[in-house]
Each structure stands twice: as C-alpha cells, then as structure tokens.
C-alpha cells in the first residue's frame, strides 16, 4: 500500500488482484482484501461500478467478523458519494449491510449503523423507495425498514426527511405485497415515537392500514395490526381510529387463532382505544368486544388472556358500563382466571372484578346480584378467589382483595353482606392482615399500589409496601363485620361523622385518596 497515493485501485490490475483475493477460499486472503478496500475507501472515494462493488458485497457475506467489519466499512465509505448510493441500493448492497447490523458481534453492528447513517444514505433511500423499478423499490423499502429499528436513525430521519411518512403510506398501496408489508412495518417502527404516531394519522395512513388489516395475507395482517397498535398509543389518535372503522375488523381478529401475535395486537389496540374516553369505551362494548372476549378468553394463549383481561379492566372503569358488563356474565370467565398460572393474568382479572365492584356514585337501584350469582361458582367463585388473594404472600394481591371486599360491602346488598360477614375463609384472614406486620413481598403486577396515598398514610410510611393501606381497609371491614350495621356506608357519605385522626382511618381524606389511587392502579396505567 506504499504507493496508494499514485495507484488507482478501482480499475485494472490492482482491482483485479483485490477481486481475486476477495473470492478466495482462504480467510486470511479475504481479510487482506477487505482491509485493503477499507483503507483505500477511507482515503479516497470516487464513483465506482459493479466490478468494484461485487467483491465487496461478496466479502460482506463472509462468516469472519473481521472481514465483515472491513467490508462494511468500505461500503459505507463508498456510499458517501451520491452516484455510489444509487448503484449500491440497486445492486441490493444495503441488504447484506443491514444483515450485518443484526450480527451478534456488537462492533460489526455499530460500525454498519454508523456508516449508513453518516453516509447520508437514508435520505436517498426514501427517494429510491418511490422508484418505479420494483427491484429498487423493494431493496430501498427493506433497507428503510431495517434502519427504522434504531431510535437514533428515526431521529435523523425526522430532521432530514419530512416526506418519509407520506412516502411509506403511498408504498402501502404498492403492487408488491412485500413492499406493502415492509412499508407497514417501517411505519410501525416509526410509530414507536410520538411525533410519528400523529404524523401517520395526518398523512391518511389509517385508510391503507385498514385495508391491509382486512387482507387474507398473514404478513400484511400482522404488519398492519402491529402498526395500528403503536399508532393507537397516542390519546389524540383514539377517536380517529374508531371513526375510520377499525373496531369491527379488530374484534374479528380476536378469534384469529392462526397467529397469537395478531390477537395480541388487536386486543391491545382495543385497550388503548378505550383508555381516555367514555364515548370510546361505550363504542367498543357496543361493537361486541366484550362478548367476543367472554367467548374466547378461556381458550386463547396466556399472552392473549393477559391482554384481554387488561382490556376488560379498563372498560370496567366506566360507571355507565359496569351494569351491562355484569349482565353479560363477564365475571364467569374472570373468576377462573384469577387462578391462572400467570401472575399477570391473575392480577388483570382481579383488577377487572375490582373495577366492576366499585362505583363512585352509588344508588339504591344499583344491582349487585351478579356477584351473588358467582359467589361460590365457577371454580369456587368470588369467595375462593378473595380467599386466595388474602392469603397470598404478595402484598399487591392482598391489597386487591381487601379493597374489593370494601366495595362489595359498600354496595348495601343484603346477600353479599351476609356472604362476607359469615365467611369463615375471609374474616379470620382479614383480622390477620389488620395487625401491623413486617414488610411483605410485592409483585410487579400493575395493580393497586397507591402512589397518591403515601404522603397521607402514616402507617404506610412506617411499614412500607402498602401494608398501611391494607391494614386501613382491613380495619374498616372489621368495624362493620363486628358491628350491627347493614352495610358499609361509602366514606363520602360518612365524612361529616368522622373526626380527623380517627383510629379507624387517619381521616376520611385518607380513604378517599386510597379509593381514588386504587382505581387508578386498576386502570390503564402503563398499558400503553
């Protein structure tokens, strides 16, 4: 290499020699060629042809990581030149480079992603993706898809390519199924970022996504479902998605037994759409989502069960819908799932039951007979479920149980009150939980640890892990059970009768804070 300043390695004998080394079966010779290409292109970049790129592309497919690194460095260097970018993409040169990005060798990954980003290749890729040459379109869209996995590249694209989303939305209407799929997946990746979630809707991406969602081709269904799930994360997109006609196709996909991932994307999207609006919750129930969940949830894979029960928990936050959900018999499938092998399914199912039992504004017309109907069945009914959670070593599950029992007592339903008061399973364990104790383990299930009540409850501050709140609720239950009252009166009604610093509850404010915080924990929380 001593005479590299005067020798043209891109043509003639020097290129021929490097080509021979590149296609050799000897890995040491391949390393020499790859390192030579890397060093040459580091010092000088000029327009090249296929005769230069072919050996470099061949070296990229080597099993030797040193050869891979050097060859990818050479290709990244050459891509700085605009003419070279075009021919590299046309020859499929970015495809092997992208494959190297997925290499288990971290240095190879880093080198390749950095080279592509620094070369400025991303910007012409978006233009090439709109090419009428289907081979160029496929290669460019595939390369874009792979590059959008990187948050740093998405940020760069946001700054340099304002028409990226519009281009990808158009590509979902390509004559090539592969391009349609790649475009939808690239949009899915972009929709990991809030900016793109909004932009996809503004670019009328929902129209194409809805068409792909109703395709009979699995890769298109999967890619569009994944994309819509991410787009639905943004609260501002909830109503536009519903108004665009997605509810029925999403509900239909709940029974798509050929692919668990499709089912998960569909139900998770429905849960997102229900998160912020009573109107949307009502529309989802009216469209038949809960009926489908009831019919399917005991038979679907555990991951889908987790998503379905979480969706019911969110819908059950609506006071307007609780009665309807109870009439549909949703408790009959939630109760068996509180004993699922999955802690997450258990917690979500219990959260849904808790939300169904709670109501901010109670009236004498509230009907709690649905809970009496399932008190002992199926699978031991509410009775056995509450007992399991009371004796769980998990403080979160204990918390759910005592909180739910408070809601049931506040209902004023004579049969429910009698069931609880006379239970030899529940009351002894509630007494036990009402006694101050050392800290107990807590799970990561997104249910009722109260962040809001911590500053209000001295017991909680002292014992940690929500035990103060559990004791507070337990004593509230026992005060009623050991007395002659016909039901727990909601705290909002008893406020004027309870003095600050009462031994039953630090104050009415504590119980109201607790009630509100547990409801929030039962809600969508971190579902997005």
């Amino acid at each position: 290499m001593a005479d590299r300043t005067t020798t043209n390695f891109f043509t003639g004998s020097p290129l021929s020699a490097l080509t021979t080394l590149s296609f050799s079966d000897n890995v040491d010779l391949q390393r020499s060629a790859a390192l030579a290409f890397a060093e040459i292109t580091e010092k000088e970049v000029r327009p090249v042809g296929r005769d230069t790129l072919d050996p470099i592309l061949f070296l990229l497919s080597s099993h030797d990581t040193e050869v891979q690194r050097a060859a990818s460095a050479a290709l990244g260097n050459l891509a700085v030149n605009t003419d070279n970018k075009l021919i590299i993409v046309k020859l499929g040169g970015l495809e092997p480079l992208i494959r190297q990005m997925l290499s288990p060798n971290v240095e190879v990954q880093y080198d390749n992603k950095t080279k592509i980003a620094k070369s400025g290749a991303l910007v012409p890729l978006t233009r090439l993706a709109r090419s009428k040459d289907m081979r160029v379109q496929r290669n460019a869209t595939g390369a874009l898809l792979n590059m959008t996995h990187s948050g740093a590249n998405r940020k760069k694209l946001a700054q340099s390519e304002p028409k990226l989303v519009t281009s990808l939305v158009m590509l979902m209407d390509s004559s090539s199924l592969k391009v349609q799929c790649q475009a939808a997946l690239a949009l899915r990746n972009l929709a990991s970022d809030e900016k793109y979630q909004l932009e996809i809707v503004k670019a009328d991406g929902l129209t194409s996504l809805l068409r792909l969602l109703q395709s009979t081709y699995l890769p298109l269904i999967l890619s569009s479902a994944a994309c819509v799930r991410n787009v639905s994360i943004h609260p501002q997109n909830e109503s536009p998605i519903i108004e665009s006609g997605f509810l029925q196709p999403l509900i239909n996909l709940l029974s798509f037994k050929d692919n668990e991932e499709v089912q998960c994307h569909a139900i998770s999207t429905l849960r997102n759409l229900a998160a912020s609006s009573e109107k949307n919750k009502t529309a989802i129930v009216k469209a038949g989502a809960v009926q489908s969940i009831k019919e399917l949830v005991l038979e679907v894979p555990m991951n889908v069960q987790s998503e379905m029960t979480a969706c019911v928990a969110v819908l059950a936050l609506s006071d307007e819908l609780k009665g309807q959900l109870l009439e549909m018999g949703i408790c009959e499938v939630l109760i068996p799932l509180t004993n699922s092998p999955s802690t997450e399914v258990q917690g979500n199912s219990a959260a849904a039951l808790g939300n169904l039992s709670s109501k901010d504004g109670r009236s004498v017309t509230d009907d709690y007979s649905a809970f009496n109907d399932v008190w002992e069945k199926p699978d031991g009914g509410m009775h056995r479920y509450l007992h399991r959670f009371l004796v769980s070593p998990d403080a979160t599950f204990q918390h759910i149980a005592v909180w739910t029992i408070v809601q049931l007592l506040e209902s004023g339903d004579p049969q429910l009150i009698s069931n609880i008061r006379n239970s030899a399973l529940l009351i002894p364990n509630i007494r036990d939980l009402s006694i101050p104790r050392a800290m107990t383990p807590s799970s990561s299930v997104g249910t009722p640890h109260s962040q809001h009540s911590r500053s209000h409850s001295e017991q909680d501050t002292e014992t940690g892990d929500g035990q103060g709140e559990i004791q507070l609720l337990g004593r509230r239950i026992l005060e009623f059970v050991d007395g002659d009252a016909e039901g727990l009166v909601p705290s909002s009604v008893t406020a004027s009768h309870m003095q600050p610093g009462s031994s039953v509850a630090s104050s009415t404010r504590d119980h109201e804070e607790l009630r509100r915080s547990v409801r929030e924990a039962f809600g969508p929380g971190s579902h997005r």
Side-chain angles (χ1 to χ4, degrees):
M1 290 289 172
D3 59 345
R4 64 176 178 268
T5 55
T6 57
T7 303
N8 181 356
F9 286 92
F10 297 104
T11 59
S13 297
L15 179 59
S16 178
L18 287 175
T19 301
T20 301
L21 294 176
S22 299
F23 287 102
S24 166
D25 292 331
N26 186 306
V27 70
D28 289 325
L29 297 179
Q30 288 185 347
R31 283 178 190 162
S32 297
L35 290 168
F37 276 123
E39 186 176 351
I40 292 161
T41 55
E42 187 71 37
K43 302 296 180 182
E44 179 187 7
V45 173
R46 62 173 69 181
V48 297
R50 183 164 194 158
D51 51 349
T52 301
L53 290 171
D54 277 346
I56 297 175
L57 294 175
F58 179 79
L59 291 170
L60 264 180
S61 64
S62 169
H63 296 296
D64 183 79
T65 55
E66 193 175 335
V67 174
Q68 291 174 16
R69 287 186 61 194
S72 63
L75 198 61
N77 291 337
L78 289 172
V80 173
N81 179 277
T82 303
D83 293 333
N84 289 344
K85 287 173 189 169
L86 301 179
I87 191 169
I88 287 170
V89 175
K90 190 160 188 174
L91 292 176
L94 278 176
E95 289 303 313
L97 196 56
I98 298 296
R99 282 199 298 273
Q100 298 311 313
M101 286 197 309
L102 306 177
S103 163
N105 185 299
V106 176
E107 291 185 15
V108 173
Q109 284 187 30
Y110 179 79
D111 284 351
N112 285 321
K113 289 184 180 179
T114 303
K115 288 291 183 183
I116 293 179
K118 286 186 176 179
S119 72
L122 289 172
V123 177
L125 274 179
T126 58
R127 287 196 285 271
L128 288 165
R130 299 192 292 270
S131 168
K132 292 181 180 178
D133 184 322
M134 193 53 64
R135 184 177 60 168
V136 173
Q137 191 181 99
R138 275 199 307 269
N139 287 341
T141 309
L144 270 176
L145 166 59
N146 283 287
M147 292 308 291
T148 54
H149 284 294
S150 159
N153 285 339
R154 290 197 300 270
K155 187 175 181 180
K156 185 177 179 67
L157 284 166
Q159 297 166 347
S160 64
E161 188 57 30
K163 295 183 179 179
L164 173 62
V165 169
T166 304
S167 299
L168 289 170
V169 168
M170 289 173 60
L171 285 167
M172 286 195 289
D173 293 323
S174 166
S175 59
S176 163
L177 291 177
K178 184 175 182 181
V179 170
Q180 291 179 41
C181 188
Q182 289 173 330
L185 287 173
L187 287 168
R188 184 273 311 268
N189 292 343
L190 292 176
S192 300
D193 304 334
E194 185 176 292
K195 162 187 161 59
Y196 285 118
Q197 290 162 6
L198 291 170
E199 210 171 300
I200 289 167
V201 173
K202 288 177 183 174
D204 195 28
L206 293 180
T207 302
S208 297
L209 286 169
L210 181 59
R211 180 178 57 78
L212 299 188
L213 197 69
Q214 298 175 91
S215 163
T216 56
Y217 182 51
L218 176 58
L220 286 183
I221 299 170
L222 186 54
S223 58
S224 56
C227 185
V228 174
R229 177 180 183 170
N230 279 2
V231 171
S232 71
I233 288 171
H234 201 293
Q236 290 181 32
N237 289 339
E238 292 171 13
S239 293
I241 291 171
I242 289 177
E243 289 162 7
S244 296
F246 277 82
L247 285 187
Q248 203 57 58
L250 286 169
I251 291 170
N252 292 343
L253 290 177
L254 298 184
S255 58
F256 194 86
K257 296 178 181 177
D258 293 341
N259 191 282
E260 176 181 337
E261 201 174 345
V262 168
Q263 291 176 297
C264 279
H265 288 320
I267 187 61
S268 182
T269 302
L270 289 169
R271 182 180 53 161
N272 288 347
L273 296 177
S276 304
S277 160
E278 287 294 309
K279 179 183 175 184
N280 291 348
K281 286 183 178 71
T282 301
I284 290 166
V285 173
K286 188 175 180 181
V290 177
Q291 188 59 43
S292 291
I293 290 170
K294 186 190 172 190
E295 292 169 2
L296 296 166
V297 70
L298 295 179
E299 306 298 330
V300 294
M302 202 172 293
N303 286 338
V304 184
Q305 285 182 336
S306 177
E307 296 288 346
M308 285 184 169
T309 49
C311 183
V312 174
V314 173
L315 292 171
L317 286 168
S318 169
D319 281 352
E320 300 302 316
L321 294 173
K322 293 179 197 289
Q324 191 176 340
L325 298 182
L326 289 171
E327 284 178 16
M328 294 171 69
I330 195 67
C331 294
E332 294 168 13
V333 294
L334 291 173
I335 287 170
L337 292 172
T338 62
N339 201 22
S340 164
S342 162
T343 304
E344 194 170 335
V345 173
Q346 290 179 46
N348 290 344
S349 302
L353 290 165
N355 286 345
L356 288 167
S357 70
S358 169
K359 202 166 186 183
D360 281 340
R362 297 185 189 276
S363 71
V364 292
T365 60
D366 290 340
D367 184 2
Y368 275 72
S369 60
F371 291 102
N372 290 318
D373 293 342
V374 294
W375 185 251
E376 297 292 354
K377 61 181 182 181
D379 293 8
M382 288 286 292
H383 196 187
R384 291 282 176 179
Y385 138 60
L386 290 169
H387 174 253
R388 277 196 308 275
F389 273 48
L390 286 173
V391 300
S392 168
D394 189 323
T396 298
F397 282 10
Q398 296 169 8
H399 197 166
I400 293 173
V402 291
W403 186 83
T404 301
I405 292 168
V406 167
Q407 309 314 307
L408 296 175
L409 289 173
E410 285 186 356
S411 73
D413 183 282
Q415 184 62 53
L416 265 181
I417 292 167
S418 174
N419 288 339
I420 294 169
R421 180 176 258 160
N422 298 316
S423 172
L425 286 177
L426 303 184
I427 301 306
N429 286 293
I430 293 169
R431 291 192 192 284
D432 186 50
L433 289 174
S434 299
I435 301 168
R437 63 187 58 217
M439 288 175 65
T440 57
S442 167
S443 81
S444 59
V445 175
T447 43
H449 270 308
S450 163
Q451 298 302 316
H452 301 282
S453 61
R454 291 200 175 274
S455 61
H456 298 296
S457 171
E458 290 181 9
Q459 294 113 319
D460 191 32
T461 304
E462 291 169 3
T463 61
D465 246 5
Q467 285 298 326
E469 294 173 355
I470 294 170
Q471 292 161 25
L472 174 69
L473 289 166
R475 287 198 295 272
R476 182 164 169 73
I477 294 166
L478 293 175
E479 182 190 46
F480 162 71
V481 168
D482 293 339
D484 298 322
E486 295 182 359
L488 262 182
V489 184
S491 292
S492 56
V493 177
T494 61
S496 60
H497 305 295
M498 189 172 289
Q499 298 300 317
S502 158
S503 61
V504 176
S506 301
S507 70
T508 301
R509 181 188 64 178
D510 277 0
H511 184 64
E512 284 305 299
E513 279 289 330
L514 174 58
R515 184 189 188 90
R516 191 160 48 249
S517 65
V518 173
R519 280 176 56 81
E520 288 172 2
F522 277 154
S526 59
H527 77 276
R528 294 178 179 276

